[in-house]
Amino acid sequence: MTTENIQIHISETGARTVSKNIEGIGTSAKTASSAIEFLKGAMAGAFAAGALGALTKYANSWQSISTQIKLATKSQEEAAAVQEKLVSLAKRTGSDLESTVGLYTNIARAAGEMGKSQNELIKFTENMNKVLSYSNVSASDAKNALTQLGQALGGGTIRAQEFNSILSATPAVMQVVAKNITGVDGSIAKLREKMNAGQLSAKEFFEAFQKGGKDIDEAFSKTPNTIGNAISRLNTNLTEFIGKIAESSGILSAMANAIDFVSNNLTALSA
């Protein structure tokens, strides 16, 4: 009997332990399931917020470049034509769209003084993007160089700060200019002397760079497509696609009005 009683006791204890463990597993499973559902909900919310942020970013970028181009052109029709050409050349050269537009609009302000046509400005912008591409310049350096270059050409005369910034970020640009400008024999040192003497005009710089167009095209044709170029093209395509949808639907204006309504009525909405 003793042996039997011990066996029964062990069986009953084991059963209760197993039962308790099973219940614990069930509770843990429910807890884990709830946690997973919460995590899925949080991830979905974060994804939605991130997607909305990305959409807004692309739409705002399109709106911004559209505004810049309108300010740099004389009519709605001209602005639309220029924007289409700049988008196309940004895709061809795998360049940042905002930087491309920024360069064009900066030199467009000086176009009258330099006596350059719209097509010449667009070709200059394309050549610059090609040089930046085959020089394997980083995105941040390229953006800085285009900004400095735009300011330099818009100022009428190339100054030391702009010269040094362009030379530091994109020496290939200065090499093209030095090779095709009169009196410096392809020497960047002599080009610097000319600049320091205040004799390097924006027009002269512009024309010398354009003379190197054939060499630029040849060098660019040998440049392999890079991940950076592909990402820039993707961003340009997304900016154009989302921007045009937002432009035609008026969604940005509606969102801005909704945000203004909420911010102006916080007290009433919280009551």
Side-chain angles (χ1 to χ4, degrees):
M1 287 294 292
T2 302
T3 303
E4 290 177 358
N5 285 338
I6 292 172
Q7 288 175 345
I8 292 171
H9 177 71
I10 291 172
S11 298
E12 288 175 350
T13 302
R16 285 196 298 270
T17 302
V18 170
S19 177
K20 185 176 181 180
N21 287 343
I22 291 172
E23 289 176 1
I25 291 170
T27 302
S28 299
K30 289 178 182 178
T31 303
S33 178
S34 298
I36 291 171
E37 290 302 316
F38 175 79
L39 182 59
K40 286 168 63 179
M43 289 176 65
F47 178 80
L52 179 60
L55 290 173
T56 304
K57 177 184 175 182
Y58 286 120
N60 280 333
S61 177
W62 184 257
Q63 188 178 60
S64 175
I65 65 174
S66 297
T67 300
Q68 290 180 60
I69 292 170
K70 286 175 184 176
L71 291 173
T73 50
K74 299 176 182 178
S75 67
Q76 187 76 25
E77 292 74 20
E78 184 182 355
V82 168
Q83 186 159 342
E84 183 178 348
K85 290 176 181 178
L86 291 176
V87 169
S88 178
L89 78 84
K91 292 178 185 178
R92 275 199 309 277
T93 58
S95 306
D96 179 73
L97 178 59
E98 290 185 350
S99 298
T100 298
V101 171
L103 174 60
Y104 174 86
T105 55
N106 276 331
I107 61 176
R109 298 187 184 100
E113 295 179 11
M114 292 192 297
K116 303 304 176 185
S117 68
Q118 181 191 107
N119 286 335
E120 286 177 303
L121 298 181
I122 289 174
K123 184 59 180 175
F124 179 91
T125 304
E126 180 170 5
N127 282 341
M128 186 59 59
N129 280 353
K130 287 179 177 179
V131 172
L132 294 175
S133 179
Y134 73 64
S135 301
N136 198 27
V137 178
S138 69
S140 60
D141 283 344
K143 190 170 185 177
N144 178 58
L146 290 176
T147 299
Q148 292 294 328
L149 182 61
Q151 292 174 354
L153 295 177
T157 303
I158 309 300
R159 294 169 296 187
Q161 180 180 350
E162 296 151 349
F163 184 98
N164 292 331
S165 294
I166 297 167
L167 179 60
S168 175
T170 57
V173 170
M174 290 306 189
Q175 289 168 0
V176 172
V177 174
K179 183 179 178 181
N180 293 282
I181 203 166
T182 303
V184 302
D185 304 319
S187 168
I188 292 179
K190 289 183 179 180
L191 184 65
R192 183 190 293 278
E193 290 176 5
K194 184 178 179 69
M195 178 274 299
N196 285 331
Q199 297 174 352
L200 183 58
S201 69
K203 181 178 180 180
E204 194 175 13
F205 186 100
F206 184 101
E207 291 175 349
F209 184 75
Q210 289 298 79
K211 285 179 184 177
K214 185 176 179 181
D215 291 337
I216 291 171
D217 286 341
E218 184 178 351
F220 181 74
S221 68
K222 298 175 182 177
T223 304
N225 189 28
T226 66
I227 295 297
N229 295 144
I231 290 173
S232 290
R233 288 190 187 91
L234 174 61
N235 283 328
T236 296
N237 281 316
L238 286 170
T239 299
E240 181 184 24
F241 178 72
I242 295 170
K244 285 183 175 180
I245 292 176
E247 195 173 55
S248 62
S249 66
I251 189 171
L252 283 182
S253 179
M255 287 174 64
N257 290 336
I259 293 170
D260 281 340
F261 175 82
V262 172
S263 65
N264 292 330
N265 294 276
L266 288 175
T267 303
L269 292 171
S270 64

